[in-house]
Amino acid sequence: MKKIVVYQSGTGFTAKYANWIAEELGCEAKEYKKVKTDELAAYDTVVYGGWIMANMVYGYDKIKALKLKNVIVFGVGMSIPSEEVATKIAAQNEIEQEKLFYFEGGYNPKKVGFLKKMIMNMIKKSIEQKIDKTEDDIHMLETFKGADCTNRESIKPLIHFVNAKE
C-alpha cells in the first residue's frame, strides 16, 4: 500500500507528529503547500494532519474537497486529549469518528503571528474570566505560557489503525 503523510503546521507541533507518523509508517511526510494535489490520488492512504482552532482542523477542507480514497486525519491542539474532544472535532469537520485522531501539541508564542496571537489572547482572557474552571481550562492557561506537550506514544493508535487497513 502506498502511503503519505501530508500536514499543515503553524508552530511546529503538527510537523513533529507528521514526521513521527511517517517514520513509523515507513513513508514520506510532506507539507501540504509542497504537494501537488493531483499526485495525492496515486496514494492508497493519505494521513492528513493540521492544527486545531475552534475545533476546526486547519486545511482539512482542501483535502476533503479532493475526495481521496482513504484519508486518515489527525488534529493537533492545546486541549487535554479525550474522547469528548475528539468527538467534537470529528463532528465539526465531518470526519468519521474512527478516522480522526487528536494529539496534544502545545503553544509557542514566539512562532505565532500577530493576528493569531490576538485571537489566542482573547481565548486566554475568556478562560481566565471563568468562575468554574475545568481541568482542561487550567491546563490551557498553563500551556499559554509556552509549552511543548507532544508525546510520540500518542500516535500508536493511529499507526495501528493504518496498519490494520493493509
Side-chain angles (χ1 to χ4, degrees):
M1 282 191 108
K2 195 171 176 186
K3 301 172 272 210
I4 188 169
V5 178
V6 179
Y7 66 93
Q8 292 195 50
S9 186
T11 56
F13 301 110
T14 305
K16 185 185 275 191
Y17 279 113
N19 286 307
W20 287 340
I21 292 165
E23 185 180 315
E24 291 292 324
L25 293 176
C27 66
E28 184 177 16
K30 277 186 162 182
E31 280 187 88
Y32 179 78
K33 64 185 176 186
K34 294 181 179 176
V35 174
K36 292 183 181 140
T37 53
D38 58 333
E39 78 180 77
L40 292 178
Y43 290 91
D44 299 305
T45 300
V46 174
V47 178
Y48 177 77
W51 50 273
I52 294 173
M53 185 175 279
N55 289 329
M56 295 300 296
V57 179
Y58 185 78
Y60 174 65
D61 55 333
K62 295 172 189 165
I63 294 292
K64 185 178 176 183
L66 298 175
K67 300 191 184 310
L68 301 168
K69 292 179 252 183
N70 186 31
V71 178
I72 313 302
V73 181
F74 70 92
V76 180
M78 288 176 52
S79 293
I80 297 170
S82 70
E83 189 67 32
E84 181 183 348
V85 169
T87 299
K88 284 180 185 177
I89 294 166
Q92 183 81 21
N93 293 273
E94 299 176 349
I95 300 168
E96 292 176 53
Q97 182 74 40
E98 71 169 4
K99 292 187 172 189
L100 182 277
F101 296 84
Y102 174 76
F103 306 132
E104 186 176 9
Y107 184 64
N108 185 341
K110 293 175 183 169
K111 289 189 175 182
V112 177
F114 177 75
L115 184 58
K116 287 183 187 141
K117 194 175 282 191
M118 282 181 43
I119 294 167
M120 296 304 272
N121 283 335
M122 289 179 357
I123 294 168
K124 180 182 172 191
K125 284 180 183 175
S126 75
I127 294 170
E128 287 171 337
Q129 292 173 354
K130 282 184 169 182
I131 293 170
D132 295 323
K133 292 177 184 68
T134 65
E135 178 186 353
D136 198 45
D137 292 334
I138 294 164
H139 178 73
M140 285 184 83
L141 288 173
E142 283 300 309
T143 303
F144 274 117
K145 295 175 184 175
D148 181 345
C149 303
T150 57
N151 177 356
R152 188 174 180 137
E153 291 294 306
S154 63
I155 69 170
K156 284 183 177 181
L158 183 151
I159 301 303
H160 177 74
F161 182 82
V162 172
N163 287 336
K165 295 288 182 186
E166 289 185 2

